[in-house]
Amino acid sequence: MRDLRTVNRARVLRTLYFDQPRSRQELAGLTGLSQASVSTVVGELITDGVVVEAGQVESDGGRPRVLLRVNPHHAAVVGVDVGETRVLVEVFDLTLERLAEATFPMSPDRQPADEVAARVLEGLHRCLAAIGPREVLGVGVGVPGVVEDGVVHAQTVGWHGVPLARMLREGTDLPLYLDNGANTLGQAEVWFGAGRGASDAVIALIGSGVGAGVIVGGALYRGVSGGAGEWGHTAVALDGRPCRCGALGCLEAYIGAYGVVDRYRSTTPGVPEDQEEALRALVSARTPEAERVLAETARYAGLGIANLINLFNPSRVVVGGWAGLLLGGRLLADVRAEVARHALRRPFEQTSIVLCELGPESVALGAATLPVAQFLATGGVRRPPRVERTGSASSTLR
C-alpha cells in the first residue's frame, strides 16, 4: 500500500508539475486515477507544502473548481555548468525560476579539477547565502565527458578518472547528481524548450567541445557506461585536423569553438584572445577569410547532423550550447542545406532542425532538473541518494 501511495503521488505531482494549474477533477482525468484517490493525494501534498491552491475557475453549473499548482517556495535546487570557458552556478526555486547565480571564468586551456571543484563550492555557498535559509533538494552538475558513479573521464580537458563528486563532498553535504552537460541540456530542452513533445530527438551541444544527448522512446540513451553521445569524437575526415582528444579528424575539431576560432586565427590577425569574443567577431565579420571559415564550419556541422539523422532517425535535432547558438543564428539555413546532401531522404524529411530555446545557460538549468526529477519520482517525498548519482533520475525524461 505504501508503494501504491508513492506511485499515485508521483503520478499526480508529475502531471501537475508539467501542466499547471489544474483542478482535482482535471488531474483525475489526466492521471487515470479516481477522484477519491486524487483528493487523498492532493490533500497529502498540500499538507506537506508541495502543492498550493492557485485560485478558482467557474465550472459548468456546479461549484467553482479550485485550481492547484506546485509550490515554488517549497524548496530550492542548484544547477551547475562546468564548461570549458566558465563555471556557472545557479539556484532555482522548485518550478525552476532563477533565484541567484555566480559565474567564474576559466581558461579553456587549463582546467585543474581541484580548481573547478573550488569554484563550484564557492559559487554554491555564495548563491545559497544570497537566497537565505531555504531547503535545498540537491545539486545537479553538468560536466564534460563520461560520468561513472561520480567519477569523470573527460579526455579533452585532461581529466582521467577525476573523483569530482568526492571532491565536492568535502565542501557540501547536499545530495549531488552528476551528468554529462549534453545530457543536462537535453533534459532542459525536453522539459521546457525546443525538444518538448519529442519522444525521439537529439540535443546537440556545441561549445568549446561538442556532444549530444540522444533521446530514444522518451528515455535518454546512455550506453554501457554513460559514454553514449560523444558525437564530437566521431571522425569526419581521415587524417584530418588534430583533436584535443588526441585523434585526427574528429567533428569537434571542425565545429567546436576551439577548432573554429583556431582556424579563424590562422587567417586573420587581431582576433580577440577570449574564445567567446573571438567567435562573436567571426560571426559578425563579412571578410572573405571569415566567410571561408564559416562555410567550412557549416559543411561539417551539416555532415555531423546528417550522421545523427541516419543513425537515430529522430523527429527533431535541437542545436544548443553557447557556440551552437552563435553559429546557428547565422548558419542554420546553410547547415540544413548541407544535411539534405548527406542524410537519407526519408529520415531527413521526418526531422526538424531547430535551435535551443532556453539560451546558452540551459546546461545549468538542465542540471537543476536532476534533483527535481528525483523529487517528482518519489512523489515529493525527500529521499536523497545515499551516494552520488549519475543523473539516473533523468533516464526517463517525462
Side-chain angles (χ1 to χ4, degrees):
M1 289 298 294
R2 184 166 56 249
D3 290 343
L4 180 60
R5 286 177 60 189
T6 299
V7 170
N8 287 347
R9 279 179 62 118
R11 186 179 301 178
V12 170
L13 183 57
R14 186 180 296 111
T15 300
L16 187 60
Y17 190 85
F18 292 107
D19 192 7
Q20 57 183 321
R22 288 288 182 177
S23 68
R24 290 170 175 81
Q25 292 88 338
E26 289 173 319
L27 287 172
L30 291 169
T31 62
L33 298 174
S34 69
Q35 290 205 16
S37 294
V38 168
S39 292
T40 299
V41 168
V42 168
E44 293 176 358
L45 292 171
I46 290 176
T47 299
D48 293 344
V50 179
V51 169
V52 293
E53 294 184 351
Q56 296 181 337
V57 63
E58 294 296 327
S59 62
D60 297 331
R63 292 184 303 174
R65 292 177 296 167
V66 176
L67 295 177
L68 306 163
R69 65 180 175 88
V70 173
N71 181 7
H73 308 298
H74 178 68
V77 290
V78 181
V80 179
D81 175 9
V82 177
E84 296 188 34
T85 59
R86 65 174 182 175
V87 171
L88 172 65
V89 181
E90 296 184 307
V91 178
F92 304 85
D93 68 20
L94 188 54
T95 56
L96 296 178
E97 290 293 326
R98 186 180 294 107
L99 301 174
E101 66 177 272
T103 303
F104 304 92
M106 298 289 294
S107 169
D109 301 316
R110 183 177 179 276
Q111 289 184 308
D114 56 349
E115 184 176 334
V116 168
R119 295 290 180 267
V120 172
L121 291 172
E122 182 180 351
L124 175 63
H125 297 152
R126 184 186 300 179
C127 288
L128 293 183
I131 67 170
R134 190 180 296 225
E135 292 292 329
V136 179
L137 295 181
V139 181
V141 185
V143 297
V146 179
V147 183
E148 289 185 277
D149 298 323
V151 176
V152 182
H153 306 268
Q155 198 164 316
T156 55
V157 296
W159 288 13
H160 303 291
V162 170
L164 185 61
R166 190 182 71 195
M167 297 166 72
L168 295 176
R169 177 63 58 221
E170 294 176 1
T172 181
D173 59 359
L174 291 171
L176 294 172
Y177 303 79
L178 272 64
D179 205 349
N180 175 270
N183 290 341
T184 71
L185 169 68
Q187 178 140 304
E189 286 295 323
V190 168
W191 276 25
F192 306 115
R196 190 164 189 178
S199 61
D200 291 87
V202 178
I203 316 297
L205 171 63
I206 305 175
S208 294
V210 174
V214 180
I215 300 156
V216 180
L220 187 65
Y221 178 70
R222 294 185 174 278
V224 67
S225 63
E230 288 293 341
W231 176 50
H233 300 290
T234 56
V236 293
L238 290 174
D239 302 321
R241 290 178 56 82
C243 179
R244 294 177 301 163
C245 74
L248 299 176
C250 290
L251 179 66
E252 181 174 302
Y254 293 88
I255 71 170
Y258 188 96
V260 174
V261 168
D262 185 58
R263 296 203 309 280
Y264 187 42
R265 285 200 177 106
S266 70
T267 64
T268 304
V271 175
E273 285 299 317
D274 179 79
Q275 192 176 96
E276 189 165 344
E277 289 181 16
L279 191 63
R280 287 185 185 278
L282 168 62
V283 170
S284 62
R286 292 295 185 269
T287 64
E289 294 79 12
E291 295 289 351
R292 280 194 292 271
V293 172
L294 290 172
E296 183 183 46
T297 302
R299 288 186 62 200
Y300 279 102
L303 173 61
I305 291 174
N307 288 340
L308 291 174
I309 291 172
N310 290 341
L311 279 170
F312 299 108
N313 187 206
S315 64
R316 206 170 304 167
V317 175
V318 180
V319 179
W322 68 267
L325 291 175
L326 277 176
L327 292 167
R330 178 164 174 186
L331 300 178
L332 192 59
D334 295 334
V335 170
R336 285 195 184 106
E338 198 67 31
V339 173
R341 293 184 56 209
H342 296 284
L344 292 171
R345 186 179 300 114
R346 184 56 181 153
F348 173 71
E349 291 172 346
Q350 297 171 319
T351 306
S352 60
I353 304 169
V354 298
L355 294 180
C356 164
E357 293 180 355
L358 300 177
E361 298 181 0
S362 50
V363 171
L365 176 65
T369 68
L370 301 180
V372 173
Q374 176 70 14
F375 186 69
L376 297 179
T378 61
V381 177
R382 300 186 192 183
R383 295 175 184 169
R386 304 177 74 87
V387 296
E388 286 75 18
R389 306 282 290 273
T390 309
S392 56
S394 67
S395 294
T396 301
L397 299 182
R398 281 295 297 274

